[in-house]
Amino acid sequence: MLGSMGRVQRGPATDVVASLREALDAASSIAALTGAGVSAESGIPTFRGADGLWRQYSAEKLATPEAFERDPQLVWEWYDWRRTLIRKAQPNPGHVALAELEERKTSQGGAFTLVTQNVDSLHDRAGSRKIVKLHGDIWLVRCVTCGRVERNDQVPLASLPPHCRCGALQRPEVVWFGEALPSLAWERAMEASCRAQVFLVIGTSARVYPAAGLAQVARQAGARVAVVNPEPTELEGLADWALRGPSGEILPRLL
Ligand code: BJW
Ligand code: ZN
């Protein structure tokens, strides 16, 4: 696209970015909701994009308790494959910019909460501190019988599916469709959304609830909302800023 001055303009206009940057600087409380898109530039496939299929299965078919009951081996193979990709991946400039924004805001005495739907831990690795994980953590496993949760960093898994020391099957410690979100994480996400003056929605299709509803919660509590996504999403309608483009390019421009 050719900008008004005849130079090449990529991504959102400079004045839109500048206006959001000013709002972020002025805010004493910021919350961000991230989704799979924030890790796309690290080489991790999103759920609903063209690259979201694994073998012939859609994520919607695999990320359910029913799929796991029917075929734990298949579901674990999918997680094993994703764990392998995630292990090789590095946080991208989008993850790093969010960690820097938090560092800057908290050093000024403000609040910054990162609410993520991602299970990949790339925000942790980029240095974010206050992270609320709504959909669990791919490096944790839980026994389906005794409930014991432990970390399992093995890639690829030596035993597929993995078993607990009690002998029962383990599952990934993540939230599947039809399952409740961890209640403490949900409380913290609601609190941060209600308190935020600026609410960032980054790299999510905003189709999965209740996470997608947080933007509405924030908006109703008085926050201004910014959406960062290369594609239009439903949330753009309630957004004060819509920044079309990849988060790895846009978020560093907000600093
Ligand atoms: C880029 C980019 C770049 C590309 N830069 N961007 C209300 C209405 C309708 C339905 C429901 C409702 N409330 C509940 C439901 C049911 C259901 C639901 O929402 N269904 C809808 C799909 C219709 N929700 C649930 O079941 C939830 N539980 C629940 O409601 O429980 C109720 C209950 C209460 C009490 C007791 C019991 C039950 C649970 C939802 C769990 C979702 N789990 C998954 C798997 C997690 C584990 C794992 O990772 O394996 O979470 S599914 C999957 O979707 C994953 C994601 O976190 C989630 C969201 O996806 P995300 O992140 O938005 O990814 P994509 O692929 O959709 O989008 C990527 C975006 O990035 C795109 O927009 C791209 O354009 C963009 N992008 N490149 C920036 N470079
Ligand atoms: Zn057990």
Side-chain angles (χ1 to χ4, degrees):
M1 187 174 32
L2 219 54
S4 55
M5 307 289 279
R7 70 200 157 76
V8 175
Q9 168 91 52
R10 292 186 68 216
T14 313
D15 55 340
V16 179
V17 174
S19 145
L20 177 54
R21 195 193 297 129
E22 272 167 34
L24 290 169
D25 281 343
S28 58
S29 180
I30 301 172
L33 172 69
T34 65
V38 83
S39 295
E41 288 154 272
S42 296
I44 302 171
T46 63
F47 291 93
R48 292 165 188 84
D51 57 357
L53 285 183
W54 171 77
R55 301 185 191 167
Q56 70 272 36
Y57 303 96
S58 70
E60 267 97 350
K61 291 240 169 67
L62 293 162
T64 68
E66 293 76 24
F68 189 74
E69 260 160 50
R70 201 182 313 123
D71 196 345
Q73 178 76 25
L74 175 77
V75 172
W76 262 117
E77 281 173 19
W78 180 50
Y79 279 95
D80 200 33
W81 171 73
R82 289 175 56 204
R83 286 162 55 105
T84 308
L85 289 179
I86 291 166
R87 172 60 60 79
K88 287 191 212 135
Q90 296 301 325
N92 68 55
H95 296 107
V96 173
L98 286 167
E100 282 178 21
L101 204 53
E102 175 180 13
E103 165 65 31
R104 190 176 292 188
K105 199 40 70 183
T106 51
S107 73
Q108 295 165 351
F112 186 99
T113 306
L114 182 61
V115 181
T116 188
Q117 301 169 84
N118 299 346
V119 298
D120 59 26
S121 294
L122 288 183
H123 286 305
D124 310 61
R125 286 168 56 195
S128 285
R129 309 292 288 270
K130 196 170 175 192
I131 307 175
V132 178
K133 295 184 183 178
L134 289 180
H135 292 164
D137 183 331
I138 202 165
W139 301 110
L140 299 178
V141 299
R142 170 161 42 101
C143 176
V144 299
T145 302
C146 75
R148 188 189 150 80
V149 173
E150 61 187 28
R151 212 179 159 79
N152 182 329
D153 288 317
Q154 204 172 47
V155 163
L157 284 161
S159 143
L160 207 81
H163 286 82
C164 178
R165 61 187 63 175
C166 82
L169 189 63
Q170 288 171 318
R171 58 164 281 175
E173 177 67 332
V174 299
V175 181
W176 286 325
F177 285 112
E179 295 183 325
L181 274 54
S183 54
L184 185 60
W186 181 247
E187 272 169 38
R188 292 179 61 207
M190 282 290 281
E191 203 178 272
S193 305
C194 289
R195 197 167 50 152
Q197 289 157 356
V198 179
F199 190 86
L200 303 166
V201 184
I202 306 159
T204 176
S205 61
R207 297 234 297 260
V208 174
Y209 284 80
L214 290 171
Q216 191 75 48
V217 167
R219 167 106 228 175
Q220 270 159 11
R224 287 192 286 164
V225 175
V227 174
V228 178
N229 200 307
E231 305 291 333
T233 64
E234 290 188 24
L235 282 184
E236 258 188 31
L238 66 93
D240 298 272
W241 299 271
L243 290 83
R244 293 261 182 96
S247 48
E249 288 176 22
I250 291 181
L251 295 178
R253 289 174 64 192
L254 294 175
L255 291 170

